[in-house]
């Protein structure tokens, strides 16, 4: 089983939104073989708490435009690691320090990555 077309559409929209707000290290994993609860993860990093919030706001705005509403959101108050659950896709926006510490890429490295659109730029500091 692989991620659905709808999940891929959400991944692409979330990655574009993160890129628009200058997120770094944007990557997406197809976790459908490993998890029954979601098809894909999108990971994006930010250099500070305000940028985390800006990326989260942009992701929510862009996904709302295509009819997706989050089921739940966690971590918004601290602004260090915000998780937005859309059912088919879970978006993780992390401060760079949390990204390095929790290293979700290592945890999910056995899962295939989802190719992101060419207009998604993973901005580097």
């Amino acid at each position: 089983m692989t991620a659905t077309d709808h999940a891929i559409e959400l991944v692409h929209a979330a990655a574009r939104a993160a890129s628009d707000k200058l997120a770094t290290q944007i990557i997406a994993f197809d976790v459908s073989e490993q998890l029954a609860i979601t098809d894909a993860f999108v990971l994006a990093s930010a250099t500070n708490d305000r940028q985390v919030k800006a990326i989260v706001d942009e992701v929510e705005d862009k996904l709302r435009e295509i009819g997706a509403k989050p089921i739940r959101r966690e971590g918004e108050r601290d602004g260090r690691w915000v998780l937005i659950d859309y059912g088919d896709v879970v978006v993780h926006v992390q401060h760079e320090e949390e990204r390095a510490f929790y290293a979700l890429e290592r945890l999910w490295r056995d899962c295939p990555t989802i190719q992101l659109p060419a207009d998604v730029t993973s901005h580097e500091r």
Side-chain angles (χ1 to χ4, degrees), residues 26-38:
I26 304 168
I27 190 169
F29 290 100
D30 181 337
V31 297
S32 60
E33 292 285 324
Q34 308 296 327
L35 296 174
I37 58 172
T38 193

Side-chain angles (χ1 to χ4, degrees), residues 14 27 31 50 85 90 113:
I27 190 169
V31 297
R50 260 191 356 217
D85 184 354
V90 176
T113 57

Side-chain angles (χ1 to χ4, degrees), residues 36-82:
I37 58 172
T38 193
D39 282 355
F41 282 167
V42 176
L43 310 178
S45 296
T47 57
N48 59 60
D49 301 358
R50 260 191 356 217
Q51 188 185 16
V52 168
K53 173 100 172 81
I55 294 167
V56 167
D57 289 346
E58 187 73 6
V59 166
E60 288 183 334
D61 288 348
K62 295 300 183 194
L63 269 63
R64 190 177 306 108
E65 287 175 10
I66 60 172
K69 293 183 182 157
I71 296 169
R72 69 180 182 179
R73 184 182 311 111
E74 295 180 11
E76 212 167 14
R77 190 172 32 141
D78 296 332
R80 304 287 296 179
W81 179 355
V82 179

Side-chain angles (χ1 to χ4, degrees), residues 1-9 11 29-33 38-41 88-89 112-114:
M1 180 174 215
T2 59
T4 65
D5 290 342
H6 180 253
I8 300 295
E9 176 188 11
V11 164
F29 290 100
D30 181 337
V31 297
S32 60
E33 292 285 324
T38 193
D39 282 355
F41 282 167
D88 292 343
V89 173
T113 57
I114 297 171

Side-chain angles (χ1 to χ4, degrees), residues 13 41 110 119:
F41 282 167
D110 293 337
D119 61 344

